[in-house]
Amino acid sequence: MLFNYRYSGNSNVFSNATAAGISFAPDTRRDPTYFVGKLHKKIAFREAISALHDVVVSDLRFKPKDKTAYKEWAAQQETIWLAEFMNGYDAKAADLRMETLKGELDVIQQQKDKVMAPFYKARKNYFDYLYQKDRDTWFVLDPVISVHPDELFFECFSQDESTYGKLSANYNVFKEVNEFECGTTNIDYSAALYNEFQKIRDYKETDFKIDPGGFQVQTSQEELYHEVKIDLPDSWVRGFLQVSSAMTLPAASFDLHPMDVYNFCSWLRRFKEKRGPRSIRFILEPGKPVRAVFEPWNHEIVCARSLYKGPQQREIRIWGRRRLLILERLIPIARKFTVHLTGNGLPSFYVADLGDMQFTLGLSGWTANDWSRAGQFDLMAPRAAVSDAEKLTVFADLKTRWMAKPETIASATGLSKATVLGALGIYTQAGKVIFDLHTGFYRLRELSREPLPLDELRFANPQEAEASKLVQAGKVEYTATDIPGVGLQLKGNVKGAQRIYHPVITIDADERLSNAHCDCNFYSTNKLYKGPCEHMLALRIAHSEK
């Protein structure tokens, strides 16, 4: 999916002994959106925007070690090792031969180093340049910024497609607001900005600007613009929409004291797991402190300052816990952290209350959303049955307000609350509306200038789409067996168009699909190399929903 941006100039931060300024260059292809003011809470904003940067560059996917150099060295040493092993037959002759060969190899190695030296130097310089000068090549999508009548907020998504970040700042963060125009736009963002943000100080007068000048430049002056084209994988865009949609799901919510979050991060910094399950079990009992059990050590952290006020006892497990380290920088300036857990292996959200700012960290079920966990994270379906006229009525009313609660829109339009919620859910899945966890408002925010191809993004692959149809049609029956030391085994009967299929899947302690087989043609042809078949996915979706 190709995204095209057109910026007037570049975003920059300047700083001297007495003053500083932040100026973001907006996308001039979108409707004019700008903001000009002066920062009041400078240090808190610096820390929050730096945490947002950590989300932008986050990539915790497994990266295998590069063993190229070792293999080259081992190949060179192989003849020496072989000679040393065989030298027992004639030690003197072998030693002499080895010395001769070593001398010849040294000469050859010196010649090789001399020939390859320019290549190695050029390669090193290239990667040094990328790391120091052009880190932007590592970024996937520039952050999205929205200006609303009561606040402005940044949104971004990580490179590994698993972490969402949102920084909201109401107008109390600024001591002077000169002009603004509500809307949503992408901003030019570079790695160098992060280092400049660190220079913001409390004693410096700091200007904050989403530059309105970019929309006033004459269109004939093309040299003042630069265009950026980014070809994003559909999975990246789909992940962004799914995490946004997950905010509207029912969740178990509770507050954590900053010191409790510090204890979580401290444990994760001190210990590295070598085996699964790599999860946190939150044990929630009404009126009692929240307890978090870190597996596989079964280490329990009791959050004595944080009571669970929910109506019923619950136990919820989450994975991908090392992403919580993004919150470390916010601990000194946070009043509290509100946690929203949607369910086992489902997305979780952490809202840091920074006073006049809120930082929302959204985590998908796992750091790596690969096929082994497919069918557990389909938040795009089902959609409510709402007519086109009703959808347009709801959207038109929201455009006049920019943010509103469903009750307000229902009262203004005369539609039922259920219809309004259905329409807002559809627009959330389409990337046009976002749900604000902190205030409970639905806010207008169009993720892209052009409409997103929702039919292509709704499911990750044809098998997932077909699995959803099978579950909705009630064609899945299964039995579940807990096998000690192995995991949960699901056996089922799935009624297809021609016959009944018999999939069997095993889910391990990390909620991964560790083993599976089916008697369908897709599995017989591809095994699991192209992911699970629709019958396996239907089995897992049916079990998850139950």
Side-chain angles (χ1 to χ4, degrees), residues 268-539:
L268 293 173
R269 288 289 187 194
R270 291 166 55 201
F271 298 95
K272 176 72 173 179
E273 65 281 348
K274 295 184 179 180
R275 58 183 176 85
R278 300 172 176 86
S279 65
I280 300 178
R281 283 193 295 117
F282 284 99
I283 301 174
L284 310 175
E285 300 180 51
K288 294 184 179 180
V290 173
R291 291 184 289 150
V293 180
F294 286 72
E295 298 176 316
W297 311 284
N298 289 325
H299 174 73
E300 182 177 276
I301 295 179
V302 179
C303 306
R305 308 171 185 84
S306 309
L307 300 180
Y308 177 60
K309 301 178 181 178
Q312 60 184 358
Q313 181 174 341
R314 300 190 63 178
E315 183 173 318
I316 300 176
R317 298 174 74 189
I318 64 166
W319 281 262
R321 59 195 178 194
R322 293 204 171 270
R323 295 171 292 174
L324 292 176
L325 294 174
I326 292 173
L327 298 174
E328 269 187 315
R329 190 156 188 171
L330 302 176
I331 293 173
I333 59 174
R335 297 178 178 178
K336 64 177 181 179
F337 291 84
T338 302
V339 183
H340 303 269
L341 304 178
T342 57
N344 289 325
L346 292 178
S348 55
F349 298 90
Y350 306 81
V351 182
D353 183 0
L354 311 179
D356 292 317
M357 291 186 292
Q358 286 77 40
F359 184 95
T360 302
L361 179 69
L363 306 179
S364 64
W366 289 268
T367 303
N369 288 308
D370 56 27
W371 63 262
S372 67
R373 304 165 179 94
Q376 188 77 355
F377 188 46
D378 179 25
L379 302 174
M380 304 298 292
R383 296 175 183 164
V386 182
S387 69
D388 291 340
E390 292 170 332
K391 287 190 294 184
L392 292 174
T393 300
V394 170
F395 192 69
D397 184 78
L398 185 61
K399 287 187 73 172
T400 64
R401 306 172 186 274
W402 289 97
M403 72 285 188
K405 292 190 175 182
E407 296 83 358
T408 304
I409 299 177
S411 176
T413 59
L415 299 173
S416 67
K417 182 180 177 181
T419 301
V420 171
L421 283 171
L424 291 173
I426 292 171
Y427 282 118
T428 300
Q429 295 169 359
K432 293 181 175 292
V433 172
I434 185 174
F435 180 67
D436 191 339
L437 281 170
H438 178 68
T439 62
F441 285 109
Y442 281 87
R443 294 182 178 272
L444 190 68
R445 187 272 280 130
E446 301 198 46
L447 184 60
S448 66
R449 185 176 68 255
E450 298 85 7
L452 296 172
L454 269 300
D455 291 338
E456 299 176 14
L457 296 173
R458 184 169 184 176
F459 298 104
N461 52 51
Q463 286 72 39
E464 190 174 335
E466 186 62 30
S468 179
K469 293 179 183 178
L470 291 171
V471 174
Q472 291 178 14
K475 297 183 177 181
V476 181
E477 297 178 355
Y478 72 92
T479 58
T481 305
D482 194 2
I483 303 176
V486 176
L488 180 68
Q489 186 182 77
L490 302 178
K491 292 183 178 180
N493 299 323
V494 180
K495 297 179 181 178
Q498 304 296 329
R499 65 184 185 89
I500 297 177
Y501 299 93
H502 306 88
V504 178
I505 65 174
T506 302
I507 303 172
D508 67 10
D510 275 326
E511 293 290 324
R512 294 176 301 187
L513 194 154
S514 60
N515 190 21
H517 62 84
C518 184
D519 53 359
C520 68
N521 181 66
F522 183 87
Y523 175 78
S524 299
T525 304
N526 305 299
K527 301 304 178 184
L528 290 174
Y529 294 111
K530 292 187 177 180
C533 65
E534 61 267 30
H535 313 110
M536 298 175 189
L537 290 175
L539 202 62

Side-chain angles (χ1 to χ4, degrees), residues 24 77 80 164 170 199 248 255 274 280 321 375 410 418 470:
F24 292 105
Q77 290 291 109
I80 299 175
Y164 166 85
N170 66 35
K199 299 177 183 178
T248 63
D255 292 337
K274 295 184 179 180
I280 300 178
R321 59 195 178 194
L470 291 171

Side-chain angles (χ1 to χ4, degrees), residues 96-113:
L96 182 61
R97 181 59 176 162
M98 286 174 57
E99 290 299 326
T100 304
L101 290 175
K102 285 182 179 179
E104 293 177 359
L105 287 173
D106 288 342
V107 173
I108 294 173
Q109 186 63 41
Q110 291 173 5
Q111 292 175 348
K112 177 187 175 183
D113 292 341

